Amino acid sequence: MADDNVDLSQDIKELRDELARLNGHRFIRVYNSKFRMMWFQFLRGLAFGFGSVVGASIVVSIVGFVLNQMEVVPIIGDWAKQLAGEIMTETQRVETGQ
């Protein structure tokens, strides 16, 4: 019986120590302040949005390049070539100031 009390006391002491260590963790400190939590979530949203835009741009560029190089699908290939040609003529027109 005395051993059970000593074991229980030791377990409670270890639990208190672990809880104190957890309360000092950065994650808990961020969520203790509403301002810090909102700032953290704002930065997280910015990073997610930027990453999504960059990732989508890369994927669309690769898909566009592959479709432009395909001769198997003439409709899409011709359309992509026509679109690229229009972009090039518009770019040259803007550069010359017309």
Side-chain angles (χ1 to χ4, degrees):
M1 180 104 162
D3 289 338
D4 289 339
N5 287 337
V6 171
D7 288 341
L8 184 60
S9 297
Q10 182 64 26
D11 288 343
I12 290 174
K13 182 185 178 308
E14 290 173 1
L15 185 60
R16 283 184 184 160
D17 292 341
E18 189 65 29
L19 190 58
R21 189 179 71 82
L22 182 63
N23 280 334
H25 196 270
R26 185 178 74 80
F27 181 78
I28 300 297
R29 285 185 284 143
V30 166
Y31 282 95
N32 278 342
S33 168
K34 287 183 182 180
F35 176 74
R36 273 191 249 155
M37 182 180 65
M38 288 188 321
W39 178 249
F40 178 73
Q41 292 297 332
F42 175 73
L43 292 177
R44 184 174 168 244
L46 282 177
F48 178 78
F50 180 72
S52 298
V53 168
V54 169
S57 298
I58 291 171
V59 168
V60 168
S61 301
I62 292 171
V63 168
F65 178 76
V66 168
L67 288 176
N68 193 20
Q69 300 301 316
M70 288 180 120
E71 296 296 328
V72 177
V73 185
I75 296 171
I76 295 174
D78 290 340
W79 178 76
K81 287 179 185 176
Q82 182 184 7
L83 183 62
E86 288 180 20
I87 291 172
M88 291 302 291
T89 56
E90 185 67 25
T91 303
Q92 289 172 353
R93 189 179 68 79
V94 168
E95 287 176 354
T96 58
Q98 295 178 355

